[in-house]
Amino acid sequence: QSFIHKTLAHKVQFFERQILYERTKRHPPVLDRKSYVELALLYSITDDELASVSSTLHNWGTILFYALDHLKDLIVIDPRWLIQLLSGIITTKHRYIRQGILEHSDLIHIWHPNDYPEHLHPKLLQILQRFEITFPLEKYNMDDEEEWKQGKSLVPSALPARPDIRVSQLFPRFESTTQYARMYQVAFVPPGFLNYLIIRVMEQLNDVHYWRNGVAGFSPQN
């Protein structure tokens, strides 16, 4: 068993060297599943071993690999390449993200086609969702290009710092009627909590107003 572990460790080391070499040849630095498997076979890495090898290289920061069905066909062999991908979304140098909303069809203007080919955009956006940089605002079919392009995503970091209206003005006031309100003030909010809350409120309520640190809306009338 010790011999088997040593043999696999050697395979990982040699395979990593090949990945580093592939970085210098490929632009953008990505492999599809078929090419990745063929490359692994050159080092006698079997299908049973490939998952473990990929997980190891992912943890080392050599590749970015997810075993999820919708992402397993895209292996990023230079994670540094994703830094520009992230900065292209959160930068203030463009005006394509309005009020925190990214229209998928605008990605061709944000990501340079030589660096980020258009056919990769759906999967790259899903990687951003894994990092919780963006959140889908609606369900769409990944295999339907036109449907995907019509979709929208929320970019919390691009939300305005303040609401576009005084929150107190959102709630109607009635004469001779007692109104009750409840306000919560907490010392700590888990990172990303408000992002999920905004998405859920936008799905359930009408006339939603949202900003970086809050959200308000009305329950739809039956």
Side-chain angles (χ1 to χ4, degrees):
Q1 187 174 5
S2 175
F3 172 76
I4 294 175
H5 286 310
K6 288 182 179 179
T7 301
L8 183 58
H10 288 154
K11 289 181 181 180
V12 172
Q13 291 176 356
F14 286 116
F15 187 46
E16 183 187 34
R17 292 177 188 175
Q18 182 65 41
I19 292 293
L20 296 177
Y21 173 68
E22 292 294 323
R23 285 183 184 178
T24 66
K25 295 171 48 181
R26 297 178 180 271
H27 187 77
V30 297
L31 290 169
D32 58 34
R33 177 73 179 178
K34 182 175 181 293
S35 300
Y36 183 66
V37 171
E38 291 175 350
L39 202 62
L41 287 175
L42 295 177
Y43 296 89
S44 301
I45 298 174
T46 66
D47 286 341
D48 293 337
E49 295 172 331
L50 188 56
S52 175
V53 170
S54 299
S55 178
T56 298
L57 293 178
H58 177 93
N59 293 334
W60 287 356
T62 305
I63 66 172
L64 188 71
F65 168 80
Y66 292 107
L68 303 172
D69 286 342
H70 53 280
L71 285 177
K72 66 182 181 182
D73 193 46
L74 180 70
I75 295 90
V76 178
I77 59 176
D78 188 356
R80 296 174 300 177
W81 174 70
L82 292 176
I83 295 176
Q84 292 179 323
L85 179 81
L86 299 176
S87 64
I89 293 295
I90 63 178
T91 185
T92 58
K93 293 182 179 179
H94 63 74
R95 294 292 182 268
Y96 291 105
I97 300 176
R98 305 171 187 87
Q99 298 294 309
I101 302 299
L102 166 67
E103 296 189 10
H104 298 173
S105 58
D106 283 335
L107 284 171
I108 59 174
H109 305 297
I110 298 174
W111 291 334
H112 195 284
N114 290 339
D115 296 323
Y116 305 99
E118 189 174 352
H119 72 276
L120 293 178
H121 288 185
K123 292 188 182 299
L124 293 177
L125 190 61
Q126 288 201 317
I127 290 177
L128 294 183
Q129 292 170 13
R130 289 284 300 176
F131 289 146
E132 298 186 349
I133 302 297
T134 67
F135 295 81
L137 290 178
E138 54 210 1
K139 294 182 179 180
Y140 47 80
N141 183 0
M142 287 285 298
D143 298 324
D144 189 326
E145 182 179 355
E146 289 304 315
E147 181 179 333
W148 180 85
K149 283 185 176 181
Q150 293 174 7
K152 299 178 182 179
S153 292
L154 178 71
V155 185
S157 63
L159 286 171
R162 299 179 181 276
D164 58 355
I165 188 173
R166 288 185 60 184
V167 176
S168 60
Q169 296 177 357
L170 297 176
F171 301 95
R173 297 183 179 277
F174 303 96
E175 295 183 4
S176 304
T177 301
T178 302
Q179 290 183 272
Y180 295 92
R182 183 175 296 174
M183 180 180 295
Y184 295 93
Q185 186 171 357
V186 295
F188 171 76
V189 176
F193 172 77
L194 279 174
N195 301 340
Y196 288 107
L197 181 61
I198 290 172
I199 293 294
R200 297 298 174 264
V201 170
M202 293 179 72
E203 291 175 349
Q204 301 296 328
L205 302 185
N206 291 337
D207 192 19
V208 177
H209 297 260
Y210 49 88
W211 58 102
R212 198 171 303 164
N213 298 311
V215 59
F218 293 97
S219 176
Q221 296 180 354
N222 296 325

